[in-house]
Amino acid sequence: MPTCLPLVLRRCHTCASQRFRANGKFRVNANHKLLDVWLLVLCTACGATTKLTVLERMNVRSVRPELLDRLHDNDPGLAAELLQDPVVQRRSRIALDWDNAWRLDTGGSDHLDREVIDVSVRFTARIPVRPVRLIAEGCGLSRAEAGRLIAEGKLVSAVRLNSKLSDDFTFTLKR
């Protein structure tokens, strides 16, 4: 689950840094009946502000009132949703850096002493992470040991455990 908003990876035009911090602030601009909305992000090096386009030249009547209220209130939850939206990422030419922005909730450690563990992993947000990293952290293993268990066939899953994944998956660990 996420612990904070991820860093936005995009080149700063002022200082050539590559990282921006989103603080959940929006800029809403109305020009007659047309609306433009941007998510504001700040450069981590120089503090310059960059706008990420959320809505462009939308008719005011076509925007849901609840969404407009959330935009005016600078809802951080909405900022998190929009940062993960592939359309916003593609339009603004950004990528997200999730390092140190998520945590693993295992629900306790009573499962670690069992011989066979069947686990279902659910993501509360689309955070790309390697399943082998989650398994190692959740089961108290080193990454090398988790890799060895995969090679021995004692750690199995229907998905590739060594590539990045952001969808729910299951795995079985045999000790």
Side-chain angles (χ1 to χ4, degrees), residues 78-127:
L78 179 61
E81 291 172 27
L82 291 172
L83 278 175
Q84 295 176 44
D85 185 1
V87 174
V88 173
Q89 289 181 10
R90 192 172 32 257
R91 182 184 301 146
S92 299
R93 295 185 182 104
I94 62 168
L96 300 179
D97 179 10
W98 283 98
D99 288 346
N100 301 318
W102 61 272
R103 72 177 174 88
L104 178 64
D105 184 14
T106 61
S109 62
D110 59 338
H111 63 280
L112 296 178
D113 55 350
R114 295 186 188 153
E115 191 67 28
V116 177
I117 305 170
D118 287 319
V119 179
S120 176
V121 178
R122 288 183 308 277
F123 288 81
T124 58
R126 294 187 54 82
I127 302 171

Side-chain angles (χ1 to χ4, degrees), residues 125-164:
R126 294 187 54 82
I127 302 171
V129 67
R130 296 187 191 284
V132 71
R133 179 177 177 192
L134 288 178
I135 294 167
E137 286 185 29
C139 296
L141 306 169
S142 68
R143 286 194 208 170
E145 186 177 0
R148 184 183 52 78
L149 290 171
I150 291 170
E152 293 174 358
K154 294 184 176 183
L155 179 56
V156 294
S157 178
V159 299
R160 281 192 67 202
L161 297 175
N162 289 322
S163 61
K164 286 195 175 184

Side-chain angles (χ1 to χ4, degrees), residues 43-106:
C43 177
T44 57
C46 69
T49 301
T50 297
K51 301 182 291 188
L52 305 180
T53 303
V54 176
L55 298 175
E56 192 170 37
R57 297 292 173 201
M58 292 285 295
N59 192 312
V60 174
R61 292 180 186 247
S62 66
V63 178
R64 294 186 332 267
E66 308 86 43
L67 176 61
L68 201 53
D69 289 340
R70 290 177 74 188
L71 290 167
H72 284 297
D73 293 339
N74 292 320
D75 185 4
L78 179 61
E81 291 172 27
L82 291 172
L83 278 175
Q84 295 176 44
D85 185 1
V87 174
V88 173
Q89 289 181 10
R90 192 172 32 257
R91 182 184 301 146
S92 299
R93 295 185 182 104
I94 62 168
L96 300 179
D97 179 10
W98 283 98
D99 288 346
N100 301 318
W102 61 272
R103 72 177 174 88
L104 178 64
D105 184 14
T106 61

